Amino acid sequence: MVTIKIKENSKQAKMFIEYAKTLPYVEFLETPIRIGKPALSLKEETYLNRLKKTALEMKELSSGKKRGQTLQSFLDEI
């Protein structure tokens, strides 16, 4: 797999992108543009989402909304 970054600030670039979209072996993964914040890589975005999910689960566990698992029952599953 090859990754190509194209800035869409010229007419030629936009025309090339439209042409590339018609090719059956080309897949587009467009990244959202963030104003004021640096763009995160896919790996960083995935890590951040997992971290947020974990923080939410920890909050639910500590508030009693969700019940945790004992260490022994966890080890028994392994």
Side-chain angles (χ1 to χ4, degrees):
M1 178 186 281
V2 176
T3 302
I4 299 174
K5 293 184 180 182
I6 301 173
K7 293 181 182 179
E8 297 182 61
N9 58 355
S10 72
K11 184 178 178 181
Q12 293 86 359
K14 290 178 184 176
M15 289 176 59
F16 176 75
I17 291 170
E18 290 304 313
Y19 168 70
K21 286 181 179 179
T22 65
L23 300 173
Y25 50 84
V26 174
E27 178 182 345
F28 274 82
L29 302 172
E30 296 184 27
T31 56
I33 298 174
R34 296 179 182 196
I35 298 173
K37 294 182 181 179
L40 298 176
S41 69
L42 181 59
K43 186 176 181 180
E44 292 169 329
E45 193 77 40
T46 302
Y47 176 78
L48 186 59
N49 287 338
R50 287 181 180 173
L51 184 62
K52 286 178 183 178
K53 183 179 175 186
T54 302
L56 180 62
E57 287 181 18
M58 292 299 295
K59 188 174 182 180
E60 289 175 349
L61 286 169
S62 65
S63 68
K65 290 182 181 178
K66 196 173 186 180
R67 185 150 184 230
Q69 185 178 17
T70 65
L71 177 60
Q72 187 60 46
S73 65
F74 174 74
L75 293 174
D76 290 342
E77 287 181 11
I78 302 179

